[in-house]
Amino acid sequence: MAPVPYRVRSRIVESPDSATLCLTPVGAAVRAPEPGEFMMLYAFGVGEAAISISGDPTVTDGSITHTVRAVGKVSSALRDAEPGTIVGVRGPFGTTWGLDAAAGRDLVMVAGGVGLCPLRPAVLGALAQRARYRKLTLIVGARSRADFVFAAQLEKWAQDPQIELHVTVDVPVQGWRGEVGLVTEPLRRLTLDPDHTTAFLCGPEPMLRFGADALVAKGIAARDIRVSLERNMQCGIGWCGHCQLGPLLLCRDGPVVGYDLAGPLLRVKEL
């Protein structure tokens, strides 16, 4: 429960409300996180928040990377932390995307808005071991062009023959030549092999439901669809109960959960 001090090594502004922080340990380092896990980050004098890992899992220098969207006092303080700032780190916590279990299969990854942040380590991990997987498809959606995170990397992936990339916006602006509409539109157009496809989805809950249901309609089993869920995580270890979703405590049983389990829970409005 005690945070470990880390120093902000670099800060990159990703969008009007998001920035990527690279943190390095002041002393002893925490365990290297895996794609899908999260950390509890402490802004001293402000508070603590659960932030997903967004860095490259192949980096082994002891640093950890988070992309923080400002939605409240704690996340705003973390988003605005300049290089040299000390923050507290606990973790890593939670479940992973399960990249190893998806070896030998097609991978379909769907990100809505800042949902690309928790998915980015999975994309980078799959590209680093590209021979382990069959077809790799990434669909990324945002409200507008200005809302995309990792814009430069998206441009790089668009030119990479190892990955099929679809980028779509809800509201096009002059000069936009990409796709327009929700992420479910390119998803429905995909030709998939239902028996050999694993899907990872991260974004707003309506997007998760509609995206996962579109995949189920294509014959993909709900157990082969993994979604990253978000609730109010305050302890990270299943003690406080703030992140409860039905029988789940998402800091312990999530955030990445199979849609066979998550789907029925997401349809209950009270949850």
Side-chain angles (χ1 to χ4, degrees):
M1 293 293 291
V4 175
Y6 271 63
R7 180 177 286 107
V8 178
R9 182 170 72 187
S10 64
R11 176 180 182 270
I12 300 173
V13 175
E14 300 286 355
S15 69
D17 59 1
S18 303
T20 295
L21 307 178
C22 179
L23 310 177
T24 56
V26 174
V30 300
R31 173 179 66 81
E34 298 182 41
E37 292 181 322
F38 69 94
M39 297 288 194
M40 299 297 297
L41 298 188
Y42 187 79
F44 289 101
V46 184
E48 194 176 43
I51 308 292
S52 296
I53 299 298
S54 65
D56 188 341
T58 66
V59 173
T60 58
D61 63 358
S63 66
I64 54 177
T65 299
H66 298 272
T67 301
V68 186
R69 180 187 180 193
V71 294
K73 290 183 178 180
V74 178
S75 56
S76 294
L78 292 168
R79 188 274 313 266
D80 295 338
E82 296 292 341
T85 303
I86 301 297
V87 300
V89 174
R90 291 195 295 120
F93 301 118
T95 53
T96 73
W97 287 111
L99 272 175
D100 289 342
R105 299 170 63 85
D106 293 336
L107 281 176
V108 176
M109 305 189 194
V110 185
V114 292
L116 181 58
C117 302
L119 271 175
R120 181 173 177 255
V123 178
L124 293 172
L127 286 172
Q129 302 185 63
R130 189 63 186 86
R132 299 189 67 198
Y133 306 96
R134 303 199 320 175
K135 187 177 180 180
L136 175 57
T137 304
L138 173 63
I139 300 173
V140 182
R143 288 172 296 179
S144 68
R145 187 175 190 171
D147 293 309
F148 284 108
V149 292
F150 311 117
Q153 190 149 57
L154 287 174
E155 292 182 6
K156 180 180 178 182
W157 287 340
Q159 305 301 319
D160 190 340
Q162 297 184 99
I163 182 171
E164 178 182 337
L165 177 65
H166 297 265
V167 178
T168 183
V169 297
D170 298 344
V171 181
V173 296
Q174 187 174 3
W176 175 255
R177 298 182 180 180
E179 301 181 55
V180 177
L182 303 177
V183 294
T184 48
E185 296 305 316
L187 187 58
R188 290 190 180 101
R189 294 196 301 268
L190 292 182
T191 299
L192 303 176
D193 181 354
D195 295 329
H196 299 90
T197 298
T198 297
F200 302 155
L201 285 77
C202 188
E205 285 190 7
M207 186 223 83
L208 297 181
R209 295 197 308 271
F210 289 122
D213 289 345
L215 290 165
V216 171
K218 286 180 170 289
I220 298 179
R223 66 178 178 275
D224 292 327
I225 302 170
R226 295 178 65 75
V227 297
S228 183
L229 304 177
E230 183 177 345
R231 286 295 184 276
N232 181 16
M233 299 180 187
Q234 294 193 8
C235 72
I237 54 176
W239 283 0
C240 72
H242 282 85
C243 64
Q244 183 176 10
L245 177 66
L248 305 179
L249 292 175
L250 290 182
C251 69
R252 181 192 65 197
D253 306 316
V256 182
V257 180
Y259 195 62
D260 53 336
L261 178 58
L265 297 175
L266 293 179
R267 289 178 173 81
V268 180
K269 292 183 179 180
E270 292 78 6
L271 299 180

